[in-house]
Amino acid sequence: IGDCVFNITEEFYKDETPCFEGKIKLENCKKGELEVKVVARKLVPAALEKRVDDLQDLVEKNTNSIEELDLTIKDWNDKNTALETEIEQINTNITNMTADIPNHEKELKDLETKGEELAAEEKKVEEEIAAMEQQLVDLKKEEETLQKELEDVRIAEDKKRTECEHLRKDIADLKKQIEDKKREKKEREEQAAKEREERDKREKEKLNKPQDDAKAEEEDDDDDNIELKAPTPAGSNDSSEPLVKKQKAADEQGGCCCVIL
C-alpha cells in the first residue's frame, strides 16, 4: 500500500529516551499513514560480564595463593629432610656410644684388678663413663625434642596440603561457574536473536496482509459499482447509450490505516 521509513539513532537505545508512538505518512501511494510504536534497548548483560570478570580475578588470586603455599610446603619439606638427616646422625652417635660403653666397662674391670696403683686411672674412666651417660641422656632428650618438632612439621604439612586441596576445589568450582555464566549468556543471545527473527517475520506478515485486503476490497467495489440501465423507450432513436455501464467509484482516493504495536 505504500512505503515508510523510521530512522533509529544511537540516542534511541538509551534508557532515558522515551519510546516513539505516532503516525508516519506513507510514501509512493496516493494517500495513507502508518501508526507505529517503537522502543529500542540494547541487549548487553553488563552485570553478568562484571560477575565473570570478578570470578576470573578471584581465580587468579587463588592461583597465586596456591603458588605461595607450594613454596611454603617446599621449604617445610627441605627443613623436614634436614631434621631427618640430623636425627639419623644422632641415632648413629647414640649407637656408637652405646657400643663403646661395654668396652669402657671392660677396661674399668681391668683397671680394678691392678689395685690402688690404677685407682686414679679408674676414677678417670668412671668420670668419662658418667659424662658419656649424661651425654646419652642429653642426646635422648634432644632426640625427643627433634621428634616432636618433626611431628609438628608433619602436622603443618598435612594442614597446608589440605588447604591446597580446598583451594584447588574452589578454583574448579569457580571455573565451572564461569562456564555456566558464559553458556547462559550465549543462550540468552540466541533466544534474543530467535525472538527478533520471529518478530520481524510477524511484522512482515502484518505489512503484507493490509496489501492483500486492500486489493480484495477494490475488486469488491468494482463489482458493486456495475448497474443496469433501463431500456430505451419505444420510438427513441438514441441507441448510443449502453444498457449496462460501470459507474465510477464515489471515492477514487482510498486509504488504508493499520496499527502495529
Side-chain angles (χ1 to χ4, degrees):
I1 60 175
D3 299 328
C4 69
V5 178
F6 181 80
N7 295 323
I8 298 179
T9 63
E10 186 67 22
E11 295 293 328
F12 202 78
Y13 288 96
K14 295 183 178 180
D15 294 337
E16 60 269 16
T17 302
C19 66
F20 173 81
E21 184 174 5
K23 296 180 179 180
I24 302 176
K25 185 177 180 180
L26 293 176
E27 299 177 355
N28 301 326
C29 67
K30 293 182 178 180
K31 184 178 181 182
E33 58 185 10
L34 185 67
E35 185 176 354
V36 297
K37 181 178 181 181
V38 182
V39 179
R41 293 293 182 269
K42 289 186 177 180
L43 299 175
V44 180
L48 180 61
E49 291 181 354
K50 184 178 183 303
R51 177 60 179 163
V52 171
D53 294 338
D54 293 341
L55 290 175
Q56 290 176 345
D57 294 339
L58 183 57
V59 169
E60 183 178 356
K61 180 180 178 182
N62 288 337
T63 302
N64 294 332
S65 298
I66 288 177
E67 292 177 354
E68 293 177 357
L69 289 173
D70 289 337
L71 293 176
T72 302
I73 290 174
K74 184 178 181 300
D75 292 339
W76 282 110
N77 288 335
D78 294 339
K79 292 180 181 179
N80 184 26
T81 303
L83 288 173
E84 289 179 350
T85 303
E86 187 176 352
I87 290 173
E88 290 178 0
Q89 184 64 37
I90 292 173
N91 290 332
T92 301
N93 294 336
I94 291 174
T95 301
N96 295 334
M97 291 180 181
T98 303
D100 288 341
I101 289 176
N103 296 330
H104 287 290
E105 290 177 348
K106 184 178 181 300
E107 185 180 354
L108 178 59
K109 290 179 181 180
D110 293 339
L111 292 174
E112 287 176 352
T113 59
K114 292 181 179 180
E116 294 180 354
E117 295 178 353
L118 299 177
E121 187 177 356
E122 180 182 1
K123 183 180 180 180
K124 181 180 178 181
V125 172
E126 288 176 352
E127 290 176 355
E128 290 178 358
I129 291 174
M132 293 177 69
E133 288 178 348
Q134 182 61 42
Q135 187 177 3
L136 177 61
V137 172
D138 294 338
L139 289 174
K140 286 183 177 180
K141 290 181 179 180
E142 185 177 356
E143 180 186 10
E144 291 176 358
T145 302
L146 292 175
Q147 288 286 358
K148 185 177 182 302
E149 291 180 358
L150 177 61
E151 186 65 25
D152 293 339
V153 169
R154 289 176 178 172
I155 292 174
E157 181 182 358
D158 292 339
K159 184 179 179 180
K160 296 296 182 182
R161 187 179 294 107
T162 302
E163 291 178 359
C164 287
E165 292 176 356
H166 288 324
L167 287 174
R168 289 190 179 95
K169 185 178 181 298
D170 292 340
I171 289 176
D173 294 339
L174 289 174
K175 288 182 178 179
K176 184 177 182 300
Q177 292 179 15
I178 291 174
E179 293 298 328
D180 293 340
K181 294 294 183 181
K182 289 182 178 179
R183 184 173 60 257
E184 181 180 351
K185 177 182 177 183
K186 183 178 180 181
E187 291 176 355
R188 288 181 178 178
E189 291 176 350
E190 292 177 352
Q191 181 65 25
K194 182 177 180 181
E195 291 177 357
R196 185 166 56 254
E197 182 179 353
E198 292 178 354
R199 184 171 60 253
D200 294 340
K201 182 178 180 181
R202 289 195 300 268
E203 291 179 356
K204 185 176 180 181
E205 292 176 353
K206 288 180 179 180
L207 291 174
N208 292 333
K209 184 177 180 181
Q211 294 179 356
D212 297 337
D213 293 342
K215 186 180 295 184
E217 185 177 349
E218 290 179 358
E219 293 177 357
D220 293 339
D221 291 341
D222 292 341
D223 295 338
D224 293 338
N225 290 330
I226 299 175
E227 65 178 8
L228 297 176
K229 282 293 194 174
T232 305
S236 175
N237 295 324
D238 187 4
S239 61
S240 61
E241 188 175 359
L243 295 178
V244 180
K245 71 175 181 180
K246 184 176 180 181
Q247 289 185 344
K248 187 176 182 182
D251 187 5
E252 293 182 351
Q253 295 182 348
C256 178
C257 178
C258 60
V259 179
I260 301 175
L261 297 180

PDB file of all heavy atoms in Angstrom, residues 178-203:
ATOM      1  N   ILE A 178      32.051 -19.912  35.865  1.00  0.00           N
ATOM      2  CA  ILE A 178      32.349 -19.072  34.708  1.00  0.00           C
ATOM      3  C   ILE A 178      31.788 -19.700  33.435  1.00  0.00           C
ATOM      4  O   ILE A 178      31.181 -19.030  32.587  1.00  0.00           O
ATOM      5  CB  ILE A 178      33.866 -18.842  34.590  1.00  0.00           C
ATOM      6  CG1 ILE A 178      34.351 -17.954  35.748  1.00  0.00           C
ATOM      7  CG2 ILE A 178      34.225 -18.195  33.261  1.00  0.00           C
ATOM      8  CD1 ILE A 178      35.852 -17.788  35.792  1.00  0.00           C
ATOM      9  N   GLU A 179      31.985 -21.019  33.286  1.00  0.00           N
ATOM     10  CA  GLU A 179      31.456 -21.704  32.099  1.00  0.00           C
ATOM     11  C   GLU A 179      29.936 -21.630  32.057  1.00  0.00           C
ATOM     12  O   GLU A 179      29.338 -21.429  30.998  1.00  0.00           O
ATOM     13  CB  GLU A 179      31.919 -23.176  32.099  1.00  0.00           C
ATOM     14  CG  GLU A 179      33.415 -23.364  31.920  1.00  0.00           C
ATOM     15  CD  GLU A 179      33.888 -22.823  30.582  1.00  0.00           C
ATOM     16  OE1 GLU A 179      33.098 -22.879  29.605  1.00  0.00           O
ATOM     17  OE2 GLU A 179      35.027 -22.330  30.507  1.00  0.00           O
ATOM     18  N   ASP A 180      29.287 -21.795  33.262  1.00  0.00           N
ATOM     19  CA  ASP A 180      27.824 -21.700  33.303  1.00  0.00           C
ATOM     20  C   ASP A 180      27.347 -20.311  32.904  1.00  0.00           C
ATOM     21  O   ASP A 180      26.358 -20.156  32.178  1.00  0.00           O
ATOM     22  CB  ASP A 180      27.326 -22.049  34.716  1.00  0.00           C
ATOM     23  CG  ASP A 180      27.578 -23.514  35.071  1.00  0.00           C
ATOM     24  OD1 ASP A 180      27.771 -24.315  34.131  1.00  0.00           O
ATOM     25  OD2 ASP A 180      27.576 -23.855  36.268  1.00  0.00           O
ATOM     26  N   LYS A 181      28.072 -19.268  33.403  1.00  0.00           N
ATOM     27  CA  LYS A 181      27.679 -17.907  33.058  1.00  0.00           C
ATOM     28  C   LYS A 181      27.832 -17.656  31.552  1.00  0.00           C
ATOM     29  O   LYS A 181      26.985 -17.018  30.922  1.00  0.00           O
ATOM     30  CB  LYS A 181      28.529 -16.905  33.845  1.00  0.00           C
ATOM     31  CG  LYS A 181      28.288 -16.938  35.354  1.00  0.00           C
ATOM     32  CD  LYS A 181      26.898 -16.495  35.713  1.00  0.00           C
ATOM     33  CE  LYS A 181      26.709 -16.460  37.226  1.00  0.00           C
ATOM     34  NZ  LYS A 181      25.348 -16.062  37.602  1.00  0.00           N
ATOM     35  N   LYS A 182      28.935 -18.154  30.991  1.00  0.00           N
ATOM     36  CA  LYS A 182      29.144 -17.977  29.545  1.00  0.00           C
ATOM     37  C   LYS A 182      28.066 -18.706  28.747  1.00  0.00           C
ATOM     38  O   LYS A 182      27.561 -18.176  27.749  1.00  0.00           O
ATOM     39  CB  LYS A 182      30.529 -18.498  29.160  1.00  0.00           C
ATOM     40  CG  LYS A 182      31.679 -17.625  29.660  1.00  0.00           C
ATOM     41  CD  LYS A 182      33.014 -18.167  29.211  1.00  0.00           C
ATOM     42  CE  LYS A 182      34.155 -17.265  29.663  1.00  0.00           C
ATOM     43  NZ  LYS A 182      35.482 -17.803  29.252  1.00  0.00           N
ATOM     44  N   ARG A 183      27.723 -19.926  29.183  1.00  0.00           N
ATOM     45  CA  ARG A 183      26.688 -20.669  28.477  1.00  0.00           C
ATOM     46  C   ARG A 183      25.340 -19.969  28.593  1.00  0.00           C
ATOM     47  O   ARG A 183      24.571 -19.892  27.622  1.00  0.00           O
ATOM     48  CB  ARG A 183      26.599 -22.092  29.037  1.00  0.00           C
ATOM     49  CG  ARG A 183      25.602 -22.968  28.295  1.00  0.00           C
ATOM     50  CD  ARG A 183      25.664 -24.419  28.752  1.00  0.00           C
ATOM     51  NE  ARG A 183      25.375 -24.571  30.152  1.00  0.00           N
ATOM     52  CZ  ARG A 183      26.278 -24.783  31.090  1.00  0.00           C
ATOM     53  NH1 ARG A 183      27.558 -24.874  30.782  1.00  0.00           N
ATOM     54  NH2 ARG A 183      25.933 -24.912  32.366  1.00  0.00           N
ATOM     55  N   GLU A 184      25.038 -19.445  29.797  1.00  0.00           N
ATOM     56  CA  GLU A 184      23.784 -18.722  29.998  1.00  0.00           C
ATOM     57  C   GLU A 184      23.727 -17.481  29.116  1.00  0.00           C
ATOM     58  O   GLU A 184      22.695 -17.170  28.519  1.00  0.00           O
ATOM     59  CB  GLU A 184      23.669 -18.328  31.474  1.00  0.00           C
ATOM     60  CG  GLU A 184      22.374 -17.592  31.798  1.00  0.00           C
ATOM     61  CD  GLU A 184      22.308 -17.213  33.265  1.00  0.00           C
ATOM     62  OE1 GLU A 184      23.172 -17.674  34.033  1.00  0.00           O
ATOM     63  OE2 GLU A 184      21.384 -16.454  33.627  1.00  0.00           O
ATOM     64  N   LYS A 185      24.870 -16.769  29.016  1.00  0.00           N
ATOM     65  CA  LYS A 185      24.912 -15.577  28.164  1.00  0.00           C
ATOM     66  C   LYS A 185      24.661 -15.959  26.712  1.00  0.00           C
ATOM     67  O   LYS A 185      23.913 -15.280  25.991  1.00  0.00           O
ATOM     68  CB  LYS A 185      26.271 -14.905  28.322  1.00  0.00           C
ATOM     69  CG  LYS A 185      26.456 -13.697  27.420  1.00  0.00           C
ATOM     70  CD  LYS A 185      27.843 -13.115  27.587  1.00  0.00           C
ATOM     71  CE  LYS A 185      28.050 -11.945  26.625  1.00  0.00           C
ATOM     72  NZ  LYS A 185      29.420 -11.415  26.719  1.00  0.00           N
ATOM     73  N   LYS A 186      25.296 -17.032  26.250  1.00  0.00           N
ATOM     74  CA  LYS A 186      25.121 -17.471  24.867  1.00  0.00           C
ATOM     75  C   LYS A 186      23.678 -17.857  24.604  1.00  0.00           C
ATOM     76  O   LYS A 186      23.107 -17.521  23.557  1.00  0.00           O
ATOM     77  CB  LYS A 186      26.058 -18.650  24.590  1.00  0.00           C
ATOM     78  CG  LYS A 186      25.995 -19.138  23.152  1.00  0.00           C
ATOM     79  CD  LYS A 186      26.977 -20.268  22.911  1.00  0.00           C
ATOM     80  CE  LYS A 186      26.908 -20.759  21.464  1.00  0.00           C
ATOM     81  NZ  LYS A 186      27.841 -21.881  21.241  1.00  0.00           N
ATOM     82  N   GLU A 187      23.041 -18.573  25.554  1.00  0.00           N
ATOM     83  CA  GLU A 187      21.651 -18.981  25.374  1.00  0.00           C
ATOM     84  C   GLU A 187      20.737 -17.753  25.294  1.00  0.00           C
ATOM     85  O   GLU A 187      19.794 -17.716  24.506  1.00  0.00           O
ATOM     86  CB  GLU A 187      21.238 -19.892  26.528  1.00  0.00           C
ATOM     87  CG  GLU A 187      21.927 -21.259  26.499  1.00  0.00           C
ATOM     88  CD  GLU A 187      21.571 -22.103  27.713  1.00  0.00           C
ATOM     89  OE1 GLU A 187      20.863 -21.554  28.610  1.00  0.00           O
ATOM     90  OE2 GLU A 187      21.965 -23.273  27.762  1.00  0.00           O
ATOM     91  N   ARG A 188      21.026 -16.750  26.147  1.00  0.00           N
ATOM     92  CA  ARG A 188      20.201 -15.547  26.094  1.00  0.00           C
ATOM     93  C   ARG A 188      20.346 -14.833  24.753  1.00  0.00           C
ATOM     94  O   ARG A 188      19.364 -14.340  24.187  1.00  0.00           O
ATOM     95  CB  ARG A 188      20.601 -14.601  27.230  1.00  0.00           C
ATOM     96  CG  ARG A 188      20.164 -15.097  28.608  1.00  0.00           C
ATOM     97  CD  ARG A 188      20.553 -14.106  29.694  1.00  0.00           C
ATOM     98  NE  ARG A 188      20.099 -14.544  31.002  1.00  0.00           N
ATOM     99  CZ  ARG A 188      20.342 -13.880  32.127  1.00  0.00           C
ATOM    100  NH1 ARG A 188      20.999 -12.748  32.071  1.00  0.00           N
ATOM    101  NH2 ARG A 188      19.901 -14.347  33.289  1.00  0.00           N
ATOM    102  N   GLU A 189      21.582 -14.752  24.261  1.00  0.00           N
ATOM    103  CA  GLU A 189      21.791 -14.095  22.962  1.00  0.00           C
ATOM    104  C   GLU A 189      21.083 -14.845  21.846  1.00  0.00           C
ATOM    105  O   GLU A 189      20.483 -14.243  20.946  1.00  0.00           O
ATOM    106  CB  GLU A 189      23.288 -13.994  22.683  1.00  0.00           C
ATOM    107  CG  GLU A 189      24.012 -13.026  23.611  1.00  0.00           C
ATOM    108  CD  GLU A 189      25.519 -13.014  23.384  1.00  0.00           C
ATOM    109  OE1 GLU A 189      25.979 -13.909  22.634  1.00  0.00           O
ATOM    110  OE2 GLU A 189      26.211 -12.142  23.931  1.00  0.00           O
ATOM    111  N   GLU A 190      21.165 -16.206  21.887  1.00  0.00           N
ATOM    112  CA  GLU A 190      20.483 -16.998  20.861  1.00  0.00           C
ATOM    113  C   GLU A 190      18.971 -16.811  20.952  1.00  0.00           C
ATOM    114  O   GLU A 190      18.281 -16.699  19.936  1.00  0.00           O
ATOM    115  CB  GLU A 190      20.863 -18.466  21.020  1.00  0.00           C
ATOM    116  CG  GLU A 190      22.322 -18.758  20.679  1.00  0.00           C
ATOM    117  CD  GLU A 190      22.681 -20.212  20.917  1.00  0.00           C
ATOM    118  OE1 GLU A 190      21.836 -20.937  21.480  1.00  0.00           O
ATOM    119  OE2 GLU A 190      23.797 -20.622  20.534  1.00  0.00           O
ATOM    120  N   GLN A 191      18.428 -16.779  22.210  1.00  0.00           N
ATOM    121  CA  GLN A 191      16.995 -16.595  22.393  1.00  0.00           C
ATOM    122  C   GLN A 191      16.550 -15.220  21.891  1.00  0.00           C
ATOM    123  O   GLN A 191      15.504 -15.067  21.254  1.00  0.00           O
ATOM    124  CB  GLN A 191      16.644 -16.759  23.878  1.00  0.00           C
ATOM    125  CG  GLN A 191      15.163 -16.610  24.187  1.00  0.00           C
ATOM    126  CD  GLN A 191      14.336 -17.704  23.541  1.00  0.00           C
ATOM    127  OE1 GLN A 191      14.841 -18.782  23.276  1.00  0.00           O
ATOM    128  NE2 GLN A 191      13.067 -17.448  23.284  1.00  0.00           N
ATOM    129  N   ALA A 192      17.401 -14.195  22.189  1.00  0.00           N
ATOM    130  CA  ALA A 192      17.069 -12.846  21.724  1.00  0.00           C
ATOM    131  C   ALA A 192      17.060 -12.779  20.197  1.00  0.00           C
ATOM    132  O   ALA A 192      16.198 -12.147  19.589  1.00  0.00           O
ATOM    133  CB  ALA A 192      18.064 -11.841  22.306  1.00  0.00           C
ATOM    134  N   ALA A 193      18.055 -13.439  19.563  1.00  0.00           N
ATOM    135  CA  ALA A 193      18.112 -13.454  18.107  1.00  0.00           C
ATOM    136  C   ALA A 193      16.893 -14.168  17.518  1.00  0.00           C
ATOM    137  O   ALA A 193      16.316 -13.727  16.522  1.00  0.00           O
ATOM    138  CB  ALA A 193      19.401 -14.132  17.645  1.00  0.00           C
ATOM    139  N   LYS A 194      16.496 -15.261  18.177  1.00  0.00           N
ATOM    140  CA  LYS A 194      15.337 -16.015  17.689  1.00  0.00           C
ATOM    141  C   LYS A 194      14.063 -15.185  17.821  1.00  0.00           C
ATOM    142  O   LYS A 194      13.235 -15.135  16.900  1.00  0.00           O
ATOM    143  CB  LYS A 194      15.214 -17.310  18.489  1.00  0.00           C
ATOM    144  CG  LYS A 194      14.077 -18.192  18.024  1.00  0.00           C
ATOM    145  CD  LYS A 194      14.036 -19.500  18.811  1.00  0.00           C
ATOM    146  CE  LYS A 194      12.893 -20.392  18.354  1.00  0.00           C
ATOM    147  NZ  LYS A 194      12.838 -21.644  19.136  1.00  0.00           N
ATOM    148  N   GLU A 195      13.895 -14.514  18.979  1.00  0.00           N
ATOM    149  CA  GLU A 195      12.709 -13.674  19.167  1.00  0.00           C
ATOM    150  C   GLU A 195      12.703 -12.524  18.168  1.00  0.00           C
ATOM    151  O   GLU A 195      11.653 -12.140  17.653  1.00  0.00           O
ATOM    152  CB  GLU A 195      12.698 -13.140  20.604  1.00  0.00           C
ATOM    153  CG  GLU A 195      12.450 -14.228  21.643  1.00  0.00           C
ATOM    154  CD  GLU A 195      12.520 -13.671  23.057  1.00  0.00           C
ATOM    155  OE1 GLU A 195      12.822 -12.462  23.184  1.00  0.00           O
ATOM    156  OE2 GLU A 195      12.249 -14.433  24.007  1.00  0.00           O
ATOM    157  N   ARG A 196      13.877 -11.935  17.909  1.00  0.00           N
ATOM    158  CA  ARG A 196      13.944 -10.832  16.943  1.00  0.00           C
ATOM    159  C   ARG A 196      13.557 -11.315  15.546  1.00  0.00           C
ATOM    160  O   ARG A 196      12.859 -10.621  14.804  1.00  0.00           O
ATOM    161  CB  ARG A 196      15.366 -10.253  16.953  1.00  0.00           C
ATOM    162  CG  ARG A 196      15.518  -9.043  16.079  1.00  0.00           C
ATOM    163  CD  ARG A 196      16.819  -8.294  16.371  1.00  0.00           C
ATOM    164  NE  ARG A 196      17.975  -9.160  16.242  1.00  0.00           N
ATOM    165  CZ  ARG A 196      18.668  -9.620  17.276  1.00  0.00           C
ATOM    166  NH1 ARG A 196      18.314  -9.302  18.506  1.00  0.00           N
ATOM    167  NH2 ARG A 196      19.730 -10.386  17.093  1.00  0.00           N
ATOM    168  N   GLU A 197      14.007 -12.503  15.191  1.00  0.00           N
ATOM    169  CA  GLU A 197      13.666 -13.056  13.872  1.00  0.00           C
ATOM    170  C   GLU A 197      12.169 -13.318  13.751  1.00  0.00           C
ATOM    171  O   GLU A 197      11.543 -13.008  12.736  1.00  0.00           O
ATOM    172  CB  GLU A 197      14.456 -14.350  13.667  1.00  0.00           C
ATOM    173  CG  GLU A 197      14.218 -14.983  12.300  1.00  0.00           C
ATOM    174  CD  GLU A 197      15.029 -16.253  12.130  1.00  0.00           C
ATOM    175  OE1 GLU A 197      15.866 -16.551  13.004  1.00  0.00           O
ATOM    176  OE2 GLU A 197      14.824 -16.945  11.114  1.00  0.00           O
ATOM    177  N   GLU A 198      11.569 -13.881  14.844  1.00  0.00           N
ATOM    178  CA  GLU A 198      10.128 -14.140  14.815  1.00  0.00           C
ATOM    179  C   GLU A 198       9.343 -12.832  14.760  1.00  0.00           C
ATOM    180  O   GLU A 198       8.323 -12.728  14.073  1.00  0.00           O
ATOM    181  CB  GLU A 198       9.739 -14.950  16.049  1.00  0.00           C
ATOM    182  CG  GLU A 198      10.302 -16.371  16.039  1.00  0.00           C
ATOM    183  CD  GLU A 198       9.939 -17.131  17.305  1.00  0.00           C
ATOM    184  OE1 GLU A 198       9.341 -16.485  18.212  1.00  0.00           O
ATOM    185  OE2 GLU A 198      10.218 -18.340  17.384  1.00  0.00           O
ATOM    186  N   ARG A 199       9.803 -11.816  15.485  1.00  0.00           N
ATOM    187  CA  ARG A 199       9.114 -10.525  15.487  1.00  0.00           C
ATOM    188  C   ARG A 199       9.165  -9.899  14.088  1.00  0.00           C
ATOM    189  O   ARG A 199       8.180  -9.353  13.605  1.00  0.00           O
ATOM    190  CB  ARG A 199       9.769  -9.597  16.518  1.00  0.00           C
ATOM    191  CG  ARG A 199       9.053  -8.262  16.648  1.00  0.00           C
ATOM    192  CD  ARG A 199       9.563  -7.436  17.829  1.00  0.00           C
ATOM    193  NE  ARG A 199      10.971  -7.149  17.687  1.00  0.00           N
ATOM    194  CZ  ARG A 199      11.920  -7.730  18.409  1.00  0.00           C
ATOM    195  NH1 ARG A 199      11.616  -8.641  19.308  1.00  0.00           N
ATOM    196  NH2 ARG A 199      13.201  -7.392  18.246  1.00  0.00           N
ATOM    197  N   ASP A 200      10.357  -9.969  13.442  1.00  0.00           N
ATOM    198  CA  ASP A 200      10.468  -9.435  12.083  1.00  0.00           C
ATOM    199  C   ASP A 200       9.547 -10.170  11.118  1.00  0.00           C
ATOM    200  O   ASP A 200       8.938  -9.567  10.215  1.00  0.00           O
ATOM    201  CB  ASP A 200      11.924  -9.534  11.596  1.00  0.00           C
ATOM    202  CG  ASP A 200      12.842  -8.634  12.409  1.00  0.00           C
ATOM    203  OD1 ASP A 200      12.328  -7.698  13.054  1.00  0.00           O
ATOM    204  OD2 ASP A 200      14.065  -8.879  12.383  1.00  0.00           O
ATOM    205  N   LYS A 201       9.437 -11.454  11.333  1.00  0.00           N
ATOM    206  CA  LYS A 201       8.569 -12.259  10.459  1.00  0.00           C
ATOM    207  C   LYS A 201       7.108 -11.848  10.637  1.00  0.00           C
ATOM    208  O   LYS A 201       6.351 -11.708   9.668  1.00  0.00           O
ATOM    209  CB  LYS A 201       8.766 -13.743  10.774  1.00  0.00           C
ATOM    210  CG  LYS A 201       7.949 -14.659   9.895  1.00  0.00           C
ATOM    211  CD  LYS A 201       8.236 -16.114  10.224  1.00  0.00           C
ATOM    212  CE  LYS A 201       7.401 -17.047   9.336  1.00  0.00           C
ATOM    213  NZ  LYS A 201       7.666 -18.461   9.661  1.00  0.00           N
ATOM    214  N   ARG A 202       6.680 -11.661  11.935  1.00  0.00           N
ATOM    215  CA  ARG A 202       5.287 -11.252  12.176  1.00  0.00           C
ATOM    216  C   ARG A 202       5.001  -9.866  11.592  1.00  0.00           C
ATOM    217  O   ARG A 202       3.928  -9.624  11.030  1.00  0.00           O
ATOM    218  CB  ARG A 202       5.018 -11.264  13.688  1.00  0.00           C
ATOM    219  CG  ARG A 202       4.963 -12.664  14.293  1.00  0.00           C
ATOM    220  CD  ARG A 202       4.330 -12.622  15.677  1.00  0.00           C
ATOM    221  NE  ARG A 202       5.088 -11.766  16.577  1.00  0.00           N
ATOM    222  CZ  ARG A 202       6.051 -12.225  17.351  1.00  0.00           C
ATOM    223  NH1 ARG A 202       6.362 -13.502  17.335  1.00  0.00           N
ATOM    224  NH2 ARG A 202       6.699 -11.399  18.154  1.00  0.00           N
ATOM    225  N   GLU A 203       5.978  -8.950  11.739  1.00  0.00           N
ATOM    226  CA  GLU A 203       5.768  -7.609  11.197  1.00  0.00           C
ATOM    227  C   GLU A 203       5.652  -7.640   9.675  1.00  0.00           C
ATOM    228  O   GLU A 203       4.857  -6.910   9.075  1.00  0.00           O
ATOM    229  CB  GLU A 203       6.923  -6.708  11.632  1.00  0.00           C
ATOM    230  CG  GLU A 203       6.923  -6.407  13.119  1.00  0.00           C
ATOM    231  CD  GLU A 203       8.095  -5.517  13.527  1.00  0.00           C
ATOM    232  OE1 GLU A 203       8.930  -5.231  12.627  1.00  0.00           O
ATOM    233  OE2 GLU A 203       8.168  -5.107  14.693  1.00  0.00           O
TER     234      GLU A 203
END
